[in-house]
């Protein structure tokens, strides 16, 4: 691998993927060679296990490369990765976004010190998030823009605040300029992303809300065809956001909700800020304002102390909120979190409940797909023969369409996971 360009492995969320793209520019500018950078995830114990497994695989296949480990797992468990023989350097989430980090690494061990294998500072001391300017990623049609990082909440199951730090917002003017640049580069859809998106603005002057940001983007970038919001905490949705849902056709009718459970006692033990009736009311109101609205949701199966009756409330929530796209997480304890010290649910029961939630999600997807047959949709092409509707549903075509273009087509059929267009 002598003289080879650095390679990246990204695990976990869209924000990690976004930051990998920003790191690519920093690493290239630093002139780093012969390196493998692993951007890890810490959302579950399984995510950490997979990160370690991936590092071992990379070392077997690249014995001469330098392996640099970063991301949330590196931030929360730096010693665990530093003790791996396969790892050369461990750097934190703040350090990975600093040009001087990569310049130092590129200069070699003599510059950073032979013994300084861990470069991880206190993430809670970070108070600002820079708007890293990248040209978008994933497809030539959709770009992701980080508007916020970190989280001020302390859900009992979650390790992420200790990987990401407290909530920090990117100023609206920086974001508007970046989105203009992305639209000018040909992107027809922008997705706003962050760790706790609905907390955007709380640390900025005048404490604007997410809805204010959405309205400002749509007003000041009229040439942007489609704006999409990633995961939100529905209890924190502000009036301006609800007004945008009702009035702004360019704001896509698809919201992914951080619900986690549908039982009030479980939600309290999670230290969530909503109850089941709050979730039901939000979904009903959003759909009243925008009848074509579709919802995705995160739901945890087998949270500690969850009884079968409690789980039943989560299972019924899928239909009561009319959720379509489910992300089901079998609970796994994260050391250092309060939930890890609670009475645990049997592993077999967790797997069974996760399977039942996924089956309910599959039924909801099938119902949604069948309802689209015969309807006309505006579809953003992600590849010559696949695109997504405004509700984020995948659509297959029998012949090529221009990648990145928004096309109108009638849905003529569906499979178990996708629509089919004329």
């Amino acid at each position: 691998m002598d003289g080879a360009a650095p390679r990246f492995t990204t695990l976990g969320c869209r924000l990690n993927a976004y930051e990998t793209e920003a790191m690519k520019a920093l690493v290239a500018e630093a002139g780093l060679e012969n390196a493998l950078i692993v951007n890890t995830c810490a959302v579950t114990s399984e995510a950490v296990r997979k990160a370690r497994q991936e590092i071992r695989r990379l070392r077997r296949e690249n014995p001469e490369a330098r392996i640099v480990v970063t991301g949330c797992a590196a931030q929360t468990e730096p010693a665990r990765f530093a003790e791996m023989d396969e790892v050369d350097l461990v750097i934190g989430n703040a350090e990975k976004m600093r040009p001087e980090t990569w310049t130092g690494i590129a200069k070699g061990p003599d510059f950073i010190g032979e013994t300084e294998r861990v470069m991880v500072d206190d993430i809670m001391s970070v108070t600002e998030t820079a708007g890293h300017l990248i040209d978008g990623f994933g497809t030539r049609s959709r770009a992701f823009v980080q508007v916020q990082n970190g989280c001020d909440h302390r859900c009992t199951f979650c390790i992420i605040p200790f990987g990401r730090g407290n909530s920090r917002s990117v100023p609206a003017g920086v974001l508007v300029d970046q989105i203009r640049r992305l639209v000018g580069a040909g992107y027809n859809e922008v997705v706003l992303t962050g760790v706790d998106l609905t907390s955007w603005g709380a640390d900025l002057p005048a404490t604007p809300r997410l809805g204010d940001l959405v309205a400002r983007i749509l007003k000041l970038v009229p040439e942007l065809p489609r704006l999409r919001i990633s995961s939100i905490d529905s209890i924190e949705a502000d009036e301006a956001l609800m007004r945008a849902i009702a009035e702004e056709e360019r704001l896509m009718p698809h919201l992914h909700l951080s619900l986690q459970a549908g039982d009030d006692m479980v939600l309290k033990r999670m230290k969530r800020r909503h109850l089941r009736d709050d979730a039901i009311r939000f979904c009903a109101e959003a759909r009243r304002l925008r009848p074509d609205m579709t919802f995705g949701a995160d739901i945890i199966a087998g949270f500690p102390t969850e009884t079968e009756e409690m789980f039943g409330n989560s299972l019924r929530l899928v239909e009561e909120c009319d959720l379509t796209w489910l992300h089901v997480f079998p609970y796994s304890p994260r050391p250092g979190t309060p939930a890890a010290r609670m009475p645990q649910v049997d592993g077999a029961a967790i797997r069974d409940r996760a399977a039942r939630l996924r089956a309910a999600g599959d039924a909801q997807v099938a119902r949604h797909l069948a309802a689209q047959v015969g309807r006309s949709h505006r579809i953003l092409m992600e590849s010559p023969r696949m695109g997504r509707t405004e509700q984020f549903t995948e659509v297959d075509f029998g012949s090529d369409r221009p990648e990145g273009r928004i096309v109108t087509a009638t849905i003529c059929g569906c499979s178990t996971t996708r629509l089919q267009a004329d």
Side-chain angles (χ1 to χ4, degrees):
M1 197 176 169
D2 185 39
R7 287 161 36 204
F8 290 79
T9 296
T10 305
L11 306 170
C13 66
R14 282 289 185 185
L15 187 54
N16 249 16
Y18 180 93
E19 290 176 342
T20 290
E21 294 303 309
M23 278 193 289
K24 286 179 181 178
L26 296 175
V27 168
E29 187 173 341
L32 179 62
E33 296 179 342
N34 305 340
L36 302 172
I37 296 102
V38 184
N39 200 6
T40 62
C41 174
V43 70
T44 63
S45 296
E46 177 66 10
V48 176
R49 187 193 68 80
K50 286 183 177 179
R52 289 167 61 85
Q53 183 182 55
E54 177 68 7
I55 290 165
R56 293 189 184 100
R57 183 191 68 80
L58 289 170
R59 174 56 74 207
R60 287 194 304 271
E61 296 177 2
N62 304 275
E64 302 302 320
R66 297 174 74 189
I67 293 183
V68 181
V69 180
T70 187
C72 287
Q75 180 70 45
T76 57
E77 303 182 58
R80 188 175 179 188
F81 287 93
E83 68 187 13
M84 295 179 67
D85 292 338
E86 296 86 353
V87 174
D88 294 289
L89 283 168
V90 180
I91 65 174
N93 267 334
E95 289 75 16
K96 74 183 184 184
M97 307 311 294
R98 295 173 183 160
E100 59 268 25
T101 298
W102 299 106
T103 301
I105 293 172
K107 290 181 179 179
D110 292 338
F111 180 82
I112 62 173
E114 289 282 2
T115 60
E116 193 178 353
R117 296 184 63 227
V118 179
M119 303 165 65
V120 179
D121 289 338
D122 178 14
I123 194 69
M124 296 301 176
S125 66
V126 180
T127 58
E128 293 184 357
T129 289
H132 300 285
L133 299 180
I134 64 172
D135 290 331
F137 69 97
T139 70
R140 289 164 51 194
S141 54
R142 178 177 297 107
F144 293 79
V145 172
Q146 179 188 357
V147 307
Q148 177 274 340
N149 202 346
C151 183
D152 292 338
H153 307 300
R154 296 297 181 264
C155 297
T156 59
F157 57 86
C158 188
I159 199 75
I160 297 305
F162 303 98
R164 290 287 178 180
N166 291 319
S167 181
R168 295 97 65 198
S169 307
V170 180
V174 174
L175 296 170
V176 167
D177 288 344
Q178 183 174 1
I179 291 169
R180 280 197 186 113
R181 193 170 65 87
L182 290 166
V183 174
Y187 288 94
N188 278 322
E189 181 174 303
V190 165
V191 184
L192 304 184
T193 188
V195 175
D196 181 26
L197 204 59
T198 35
S199 72
W200 180 87
D203 57 325
L204 296 176
T207 61
R209 302 293 300 275
L210 179 62
D212 299 318
L213 175 63
V214 168
R216 185 168 179 178
I217 291 169
L218 292 171
K219 178 181 179 180
L220 297 180
V221 195
E223 63 273 27
L224 172 65
R226 291 164 58 145
L227 180 66
R228 194 178 295 278
I229 299 174
S230 60
S231 180
I232 67 166
D233 196 344
S234 58
I235 197 69
E236 295 183 351
D238 60 277
E239 289 184 12
L241 180 59
M242 301 306 288
R243 188 162 55 249
I245 289 171
E247 299 174 357
E248 295 285 1
E249 290 187 358
R250 291 185 293 144
L251 178 62
M252 295 296 95
H254 164 251
L255 294 173
H256 189 84
L257 309 177
S258 179
L259 297 182
Q260 310 304 345
D263 179 83
D264 285 349
M265 182 55 72
V266 172
L267 289 166
K268 288 177 180 178
R269 288 171 178 165
M270 289 177 167
K271 286 189 70 174
R272 299 295 297 167
R273 293 161 299 286
H274 72 276
L275 299 174
R276 82 177 268 114
D277 284 349
D278 296 321
I280 294 169
R281 275 195 300 270
F282 173 83
C283 291
E285 177 64 7
R287 190 165 277 119
R288 184 188 70 80
L289 296 172
R290 190 80 175 264
D292 58 345
M293 179 67 73
T294 59
F295 300 107
D298 297 327
I299 299 183
I300 296 174
F303 184 81
T305 77
E306 182 185 73
T307 64
E308 182 64 24
E309 181 181 1
M310 294 172 179
F311 169 73
N313 287 330
S314 291
L315 192 60
R316 284 190 293 275
L317 191 72
V318 175
E319 286 197 18
E320 290 173 1
C321 285
D322 196 14
L323 307 174
T324 301
W325 315 110
L326 290 192
H327 289 182
V328 177
F329 295 89
Y331 175 79
S332 64
R334 298 294 289 113
T337 61
R341 300 189 295 271
M342 298 179 186
Q344 303 293 303
V345 175
D346 176 72
I350 292 175
R351 290 188 292 274
D352 173 70
R353 292 173 189 176
R356 288 154 65 190
L357 275 171
R358 291 187 181 110
D362 291 343
Q364 289 289 100
V365 169
R367 189 176 296 117
H368 169 73
L369 296 176
Q372 308 312 309
V373 177
R375 296 184 179 180
S376 177
H377 279 277
R378 286 170 51 79
I379 299 158
L380 178 63
M381 300 304 300
E382 295 187 1
S383 65
R385 297 200 179 193
M386 195 282 286
R388 290 185 190 264
T389 69
E390 295 182 338
Q391 292 83 9
F392 211 58
T393 311
E394 292 183 338
V395 184
D396 285 331
F397 287 79
S399 58
D400 289 355
R401 301 290 190 281
E403 187 175 346
R405 190 81 55 84
I406 296 174
V407 302
T408 300
T410 299
I411 304 304
C412 60
C414 63
S415 65
T416 56
T417 58
R418 289 181 173 183
L419 299 172
Q420 294 160 354
D422 291 337

